[in-house]
Amino acid sequence: MTDNASAPSPPPASAPGAPQAAPAASDRLSIDDFMKIELRVARVVAAERVPKSNRLLKLQVDVGSEQRTLVAGIAEAYEPDALVGKTVVIVFNLKPAKLMGIESNGMVLAASPEGGKPEVVTFANPPAPGTRVR
């Protein structure tokens, strides 16, 4: 008989850094559905805090062919001045939405680890604003 008491136990599924379960087949997008989402490179040209909000920043971004206003829930992680000049990834073809009375014309992509602050998706060698991300 072997003693299993000394064998290491696997980490719990909710441990930080644990791999996420794969989505059910019915939750997965087809490549055709994914290609409908236009991810674009954008350069932040101005940023400011949204009054009466601890989480929201109002961003003015250059997407190559135009400038857009976006509202992003990243104020807990970024000071507005730190974002100006950064190149980020946005969802370009998202329907406009009003947040705190400001029309947001897109969404900044950010990763938010469980219990952590959001971190925007950026580039080491940024492509030109408006470049499509695939």
Side-chain angles (χ1 to χ4, degrees):
M1 225 158 58
T2 60
D3 184 4
N4 289 336
S6 63
S9 61
S14 63
Q20 299 292 321
S26 62
D27 292 342
R28 293 185 180 200
L29 297 176
S30 70
I31 190 67
D32 293 333
D33 288 338
F34 177 75
M35 292 308 289
K36 292 176 187 174
I37 302 168
E38 275 191 61
L39 302 176
R40 298 274 178 116
V41 174
R43 188 172 24 85
V44 179
V45 295
E48 62 185 66
R49 292 194 173 277
V50 173
K52 300 180 184 177
S53 174
N54 294 326
R55 295 181 10 139
L56 299 177
L57 293 179
K58 177 182 171 184
L59 307 177
Q60 190 72 27
V61 298
D62 174 8
V63 291
S65 59
E66 63 183 282
Q67 287 196 1
R68 288 190 175 189
T69 299
L70 282 75
V71 177
I74 57 175
E76 294 172 321
Y78 294 93
E79 288 298 322
D81 291 344
L83 288 169
V84 175
K86 271 197 184 289
T87 300
V88 298
V89 177
I90 68 165
V91 180
F92 184 75
N93 61 335
L94 196 62
K95 289 182 180 179
K98 278 221 172 176
L99 301 166
M100 300 288 290
I102 303 166
E103 186 173 271
S104 182
N105 287 286
M107 178 185 288
V108 175
L109 293 188
S112 297
E114 192 66 38
K117 294 182 178 181
E119 186 168 333
V120 296
V121 176
T122 61
F123 299 92
N125 299 305
T131 301
R132 183 135 187 212
V133 178
R134 298 179 199 268

